[in-house]
Amino acid sequence: MITIDLDQIKDLINVEILVQRVEEGFIQYSNGNCVVPPVGELLFDNPSGEVHIKSGYVIGGDYYVIKIASGFKNNYLGGIPNGQGMMLLFNQGTGEPLAAIKDDAYLTDIRTAIAGLICAKTLSNEINRIGIIGTGNQARLQAQFLKHISECREIVLWGRNKKNTEKCKKDLMQFGFLVEIVNLPNEVSQSCNLIITTTSSKTPLLKEVDINEGTHITAVGSDTPFKNELEPSILSMANIVVADSISQCLVRGEISHAIKTNDITKEMVIEIGTLLSSSNIGRTQKEQITVSDLTGIAIQDLNIAEFIYEKYLGLNK
């Protein structure tokens, strides 16, 4: 078994190919060609942290993956990155371990940003301003990856912590963005037709009355049953509600909350893979409101781990 560390991983990244791989994975998943067990989860109170364990494979493929990714928000006090973890890649035919990809959750962040790019590319109107709620790594990556599909370089940013928000603004400006900081989350939605929520909030930050016609929202923060960034009625007013995995979003993410409050039903939700494989589903009018709920599925992890492993071995270019 080989070990691939973070510095090596970063040298192997190819965004264009990874977008294609993740799109293919979403389609395979929605077509029923994948086996993905429920998410394993460990939650900690003291210190506060969470660990997600995801696994899966494509039927008839070469590999299966087990991904362990954690987030401990107080790690910075000891000079340790909040994100930790690795992806373990195995031979699907024999069970032999092939690679330990020690990414410190970097690839989880990358594949989430790629999923956000795919949702914006597929559902958003031409972007006039980008609204970002949250100031962590995912806020930065979502903006960076949007540069692959949009010429928009204006961001409206909100964060709870003033110091972290100013640091995030500085970083985003180094990526070539003009950044305006606002005092309240609903100020983000006033002038932005693309909104990305990236927080760990357990109470809604945006309400139905905050959302304008023509808006697309990509919600990536609610990856446990307890997190909630959007008022559930936002999903009921949306013309299109998209999940990365319907079965997973029934128990975690924004969709799970909207179903519990009877704002939507399971039948009102479509998967990204279905959206990508059909030319008849998606935004049809500029005035429509669309929402994508990204909880992260193992097929994304599998496709990115497979690419990193084969690129490391020189099997793909």
Side-chain angles (χ1 to χ4, degrees), residues 87-106:
M87 296 186 182
L88 303 173
L89 194 67
F90 299 82
N91 184 309
Q92 189 181 137
T94 66
E96 294 173 282
L98 300 174
I101 303 173
K102 300 176 66 175
D103 68 322
D104 295 343
Y106 173 75

Side-chain angles (χ1 to χ4, degrees), residues 34-217:
C34 302
V35 175
V36 177
V39 177
E41 199 164 64
L42 298 171
L43 302 177
F44 302 90
D45 292 325
N46 188 24
S48 177
E50 56 191 60
V51 179
H52 296 174
I53 305 163
K54 297 183 178 181
S55 59
Y57 63 89
V58 176
I59 297 170
D62 295 325
Y63 312 100
Y64 68 88
V65 72
I66 299 174
K67 192 275 292 286
I68 305 165
S70 68
F72 285 79
K73 63 183 182 182
N74 293 328
N75 278 5
Y76 74 95
L77 297 173
I80 303 168
N82 289 3
Q84 297 291 319
M86 66 181 68
M87 296 186 182
L88 303 173
L89 194 67
F90 299 82
N91 184 309
Q92 189 181 137
T94 66
E96 294 173 282
L98 300 174
I101 303 173
K102 300 176 66 175
D103 68 322
D104 295 343
Y106 173 75
L107 291 177
T108 295
D109 286 339
I110 291 293
R111 58 88 151 140
T112 303
I114 287 173
L117 175 160
I118 291 168
C119 290
K121 179 178 68 171
T122 308
L123 288 169
S124 179
N125 285 308
E126 182 177 351
I127 302 168
N128 57 21
R129 297 182 94 191
I130 302 163
I132 298 179
I133 294 178
T135 60
N137 286 339
Q138 195 55 223
R140 293 162 168 80
L141 284 170
Q142 289 283 337
Q144 283 180 266
F145 276 63
L146 283 173
K147 293 176 75 172
H148 292 273
I149 62 164
S150 174
E151 297 297 320
C152 179
R153 298 293 182 265
E154 293 187 39
I155 290 176
V156 180
L157 176 68
W158 177 85
R160 283 193 182 88
N161 181 288
K162 182 177 180 180
K163 181 179 178 181
N164 291 344
T165 306
E166 290 288 350
K167 177 65 167 63
C168 185
K169 174 181 177 177
K170 182 178 178 181
D171 291 344
L172 290 170
M173 291 178 66
Q174 290 179 345
F175 300 145
F177 290 99
L178 300 172
V179 183
E180 174 190 353
I181 293 175
V182 293
N183 295 318
L184 295 169
N186 65 352
E187 294 181 68
V188 170
S189 62
Q190 291 176 3
S191 62
C192 300
N193 66 349
L194 172 64
I195 301 171
I196 306 164
T197 62
T198 69
T199 76
S200 59
S201 179
K202 294 181 180 179
T203 56
L205 300 171
L206 290 176
K207 297 183 178 181
E208 178 182 347
V209 296
D210 300 329
I211 309 304
N212 296 320
E213 287 187 348
T215 299
H216 171 69
I217 303 171

